[in-house]
Amino acid sequence: MDFSGAHILSIEQFQRDDIERVFGTADRMEPYAQRAKITRVLEGAILGNMFFEASTRTRISFGSAFNLLGGEVRESVGMDSLSLVKGESLQDTARVLSGFSDVICMRHPQAGSVAEFASASRVPVMNGGDGSNEHPSQALLDLYTIKKELQGRGRGIDGLRIAMVGDLKYGRTVHSLCKLLCLFRDIQVTLVSPPELAMPEDLLALLDQAGHRTVATEQLEPSIAHVDIVYSTRIQEERFQDRSQADLYRGRFRLNQEIYTRHCEPNTVIMHPLPRDSRAEANELDADLDKNPNLAIFRQTDNGLLIRMALFALVLDVVHLVDKYARDIRWHNPRLPRDQAT
Ligand code: NCD
């Protein structure tokens, strides 16, 4: 695909070599994300970060990624402060906001809304999550994490064995991840959910067409026994017509160290897009897993920064200039080993 000036709306836009390109670019962003160096390559550029739905990491990660490339961020959070509540169409909002920004990231509760916004935007738009439809940057960072976690073990994405657990009906991260896995070969996907929250049929059909083996089940423990990755998700209570219905499912698939030790192969990687629901009645990933070195959830968020930097650099066509506009940092950087810190 031609990244330059492209909207990033769905994983369906990508081919396998595009994914390699994103991952290769993300690798090159490491020194900047680590603050070993800074780059001003996007100096003067403005990101419009428009989040019409709750977000912590996606919004701050997109914003920080843009800052790390030297750009400025202007943000709007929530629907109430915008003229959308006065009846303005998404397309008019896009026509206006794209006059103020060089690229826009957007999250919105309705499926398809970010594409609708993009259709009227004069600048590239990135989908930060549209309802239960897609979350492409999350899928990219998830797969990048899977690749990095497995590479030391002589395993790769082709041949992967993954269990996706939780709300597979409304979870947009697993929807985008399934689409992404369809670009690879010979994958075993175990789908663990209550039947009411099962993976939608269209995604099952895509996995099937890609030749992947899928099993749908309600049983957590046997499903995590022979996999490389356990990818846990939150019950998406905000998508339920009647929120109290979400209570029926919360806490159904808890994972803790004892269950992990009893059932998982050594070094099974535990992932979650976060936020993990840590309330006692849910407790999807118990805090006792925090000491488990295979818990990759905070490496996922760190990788998210690299992936989002890569997406900006590709879409704004500055990958070849990132190092040219680099310089040393001036402050003491506690993240770096002493001999590398200035
Ligand atoms: C996810 C989302 O918003 O879809 N969070 C995220 O972006 N990392 C998952 C969730 O909210 O459960």
Side-chain angles (χ1 to χ4, degrees), residues 12 178-187 189 191 199-214:
E12 286 165 32
C178 281
K179 289 184 180 175
L180 191 47
L181 291 176
C182 289
L183 299 176
F184 293 81
R185 279 193 306 276
D186 186 28
I187 299 191
V189 190
L191 301 161
M199 184 64 76
E201 291 291 337
D202 56 329
L203 288 157
L204 291 177
L206 287 179
L207 290 167
D208 192 48
Q209 274 164 34
H212 298 338
R213 288 152 291 145
T214 55

Side-chain angles (χ1 to χ4, degrees), residues 6-240:
H7 301 305
I8 306 291
L9 301 174
S10 164
I11 289 297
E12 286 165 32
Q13 296 169 249
F14 294 86
Q15 300 296 320
R16 187 163 167 157
D17 58 343
D18 303 320
I19 305 303
E20 314 284 350
R21 189 135 169 248
V22 174
F23 289 0
T25 309
D27 289 342
R28 290 176 55 187
M29 299 299 156
E30 188 84 51
Y32 304 103
Q34 287 292 334
R35 320 300 199 269
K37 283 193 275 181
I38 59 172
T39 177
R40 310 305 301 163
V41 70
L42 289 186
E43 190 159 30
I46 297 176
L47 163 67
N49 216 14
M50 306 292 149
F51 276 69
F52 302 141
E53 201 183 42
S55 171
T56 305
R57 66 230 87 230
T58 306
R59 177 172 63 86
I60 312 242
S61 162
F62 268 125
S64 302
F66 207 74
N67 288 147
L68 286 168
L69 292 169
E72 311 278 341
V73 182
R74 174 138 316 255
E75 261 182 356
S76 183
V77 178
M79 213 66 108
D80 298 347
S81 59
L82 282 160
S83 290
L84 289 164
V85 290
K86 300 182 188 168
E88 185 172 60
S89 70
L90 267 177
Q91 296 201 343
D92 273 2
T93 309
R95 289 182 186 107
V96 174
L97 296 181
S98 58
F100 305 156
S101 321
D102 299 283
V103 56
I104 292 175
C105 293
M106 184 175 159
R107 170 173 287 189
H108 192 283
Q110 267 159 23
S113 54
V114 183
E116 187 185 336
F117 181 95
S119 70
S121 169
R122 290 173 271 166
V123 299
V125 175
M126 295 192 190
N127 183 359
D130 61 323
S132 55
N133 183 35
E134 277 225 42
H135 195 343
S137 65
Q138 179 72 41
L140 290 167
L141 79 87
D142 287 338
L143 196 68
Y144 184 62
T145 303
I146 291 172
K147 181 176 175 227
K148 283 175 131 179
E149 295 288 320
L150 296 187
Q151 68 195 0
R153 304 170 194 185
R155 292 188 62 84
I157 303 170
D158 291 318
L160 180 74
R161 303 166 303 162
I162 182 169
M164 298 183 188
V165 181
D167 185 348
L168 309 182
K169 176 179 181 188
Y170 294 119
R172 55 192 169 201
T173 71
V174 282
H175 298 167
S176 287
L177 186 56
C178 281
K179 289 184 180 175
L180 191 47
L181 291 176
C182 289
L183 299 176
F184 293 81
R185 279 193 306 276
D186 186 28
I187 299 191
Q188 174 195 305
V189 190
T190 309
L191 301 161
V192 187
S193 73
E196 301 84 350
L197 300 181
M199 184 64 76
E201 291 291 337
D202 56 329
L203 288 157
L204 291 177
L206 287 179
L207 290 167
D208 192 48
Q209 274 164 34
H212 298 338
R213 288 152 291 145
T214 55
V215 179
T217 169
E218 278 186 81
Q219 304 299 318
L220 177 70
E221 298 182 358
S223 306
I224 59 177
H226 301 291
V227 295
D228 305 300
I229 307 285
V230 177
Y231 188 102
S232 176
T233 65
R234 180 180 66 87
I235 302 300
Q236 307 281 296
E237 59 185 47
E238 65 278 31
R239 310 263 176 249
F240 285 67

